Amino acid sequence: MNQDVLDLARLQFALTAGGHFLFVALTLGLVTVVAALQTRATVSGKPQDARMVRFWGQLYVINYAVGIVTGLVMEFQFGMAWSGLTHEAGNILGASLAVETIVAFFVESTFLGLWIFGWHRLNRWAHLAAIWIVALTAYLSAYWILVSNGFLNHPVGYSSENGGLVLDDPVAVLTNPSALLAFGHVLAGALLTAGFFMAGVSAYHLFRRSPEWEFFGRSLRIGVFVSAPALLAAAVFGGIQFAALTTFQPMKSAVFSGKAAEIARLQAELSAEFGPGDYVPSEAWTRGGGLVMLISFALMMYLCFAGVILACFKTVVFRFRLWHLVLMAAVPLPYLAMIGGWVFRESGRQPWVVYGLLKTEDAVSDLSPGTMRLSLTVFTTVFALLALLNAWLLARHARRGPVESGLGHDERPGRDGREPDGSGRGDGSGQGSGPKRDGSGQGRGPRPDGSDRKDGPPPSDPADALPAPRY
């Protein structure tokens, strides 16, 4: 195998799979939050709750739509560059990936379409059921992907026939500890990502003294209070996985810990079992990924614990602008932690693509270096453009605020959108359910003391009118 082809194929997979993973993290977390918000809106019937569903749901749909395209691009590069893996382990990986495709592209996408276009058409409980089905199928999609990844890291439930791997024990594959622990860790990390994202967007509007200060005050508190338990859950699952490395992948554990004697012993054992070769993964990537993950986690831990305390005080939520800046700057931290953990998980099992069974050099397709360079250029360019498009769309809609959200807009004649009860019977733009805008674009909502301000200039700083309404 040409070493250039192998290196280029690994780089291409790292960029495309890692990039797609970041989309998935926010999608999984936001759909859970949106489903919970819609549950509250459906039960309470409060306009503010319905507006929150529409605003955060709009951001979720944007991230989901672009993320689907990145997933398709990743599948194309996977099939082109790693034919050896599909020939060797396709009988096992193919089943879980096929089920994931059915769940993600048929069930999840179908019910997401019902949720998007079912505003004002479906019964409010049916509409609520649709978003929960979307959330549950998103979890199932992540689970089936991690079943495949778990087999790569800790192969179980297989047998060898005619030089290939075949499925021997489906239950063992589905209950693989490597997959189940990673599943819990990813779900917790996704909620953590969504919590930091919500807090950061809300802090941006509070820092700018948005007229929607009540809306984003509540959203900031939700983001903070979601992040803290999610962080603890991610730490628990991550700690259990790290402890299991001494059994599943002892070389990765030794390299990360820097135990030279243990590395030498394992190298000798693996050479005796599998033949001459270098069985030590890259120390730079393995330790570097692990350290990025741990440092990011430590920073988030301090921010979460401090945030839980600060969010209990309304004055701090609305007026502590330094905290708002910190929350905005902290939005990338969950992404750094998740990508660092992913690099640690994948690079640390090298030189194996299926641990102990198939080497990475034997899994790559027989391509020329020129073809691989062209592929890397094309796929990386497409992914970069999709990432920039997603960031621009998210920033654009997040900056506009809930008034400009188009999700759930009622375009039927004679509807003014004054029935937001959580089932989608609002106008989607938030009109009639919050601070309105006059010709100058300034807010004309109710005062914090409950009185209705009909005329006169708005206050220069909405936070000056504290105490805020109860929420």
Side-chain angles (χ1 to χ4, degrees), residues 149-313:
N149 184 264
F151 181 82
L152 298 181
N153 281 277
H154 179 56
V156 295
Y158 69 93
S159 60
S160 298
E161 291 184 8
N162 302 321
L165 304 176
V166 296
L167 184 62
D168 183 61
D169 186 354
V171 175
V173 174
L174 297 177
T175 59
N176 188 343
S178 180
L180 295 180
L181 292 173
F183 179 62
H185 189 62
V186 166
L187 289 188
L191 282 173
L192 182 62
T193 304
F196 268 69
F197 179 78
M198 286 187 71
V201 172
S202 302
Y204 167 79
H205 284 274
L206 293 173
F207 180 83
R208 297 180 67 246
R209 299 301 194 233
S210 166
E212 298 282 0
W213 53 275
E214 181 184 358
F215 180 100
F216 287 109
R218 289 185 59 190
S219 294
L220 185 147
R221 287 162 57 95
I222 292 173
V224 168
F225 290 136
V226 165
S227 298
L231 181 78
L232 294 178
V236 170
F237 282 106
I240 296 174
Q241 286 186 95
F242 193 82
L245 282 181
T246 56
T247 302
F248 295 162
Q249 297 179 12
M251 180 64 83
K252 180 193 293 185
S253 177
V255 170
F256 181 75
S257 302
K259 299 177 180 178
E262 182 70 7
I263 293 173
R265 183 184 69 81
L266 291 170
Q267 169 66 25
E269 290 181 357
L270 292 170
S271 297
E273 182 177 358
F274 299 105
D278 184 6
Y279 297 94
V280 182
S282 169
E283 182 177 354
W285 285 107
T286 303
R287 298 193 69 185
L291 289 175
V292 168
M293 173 186 64
L294 294 177
I295 292 172
S296 301
F297 174 82
L299 292 174
M300 288 188 293
M301 180 181 65
Y302 291 124
L303 290 175
C304 283
F305 290 161
V308 168
I309 297 174
L310 294 174
C312 293
F313 301 93

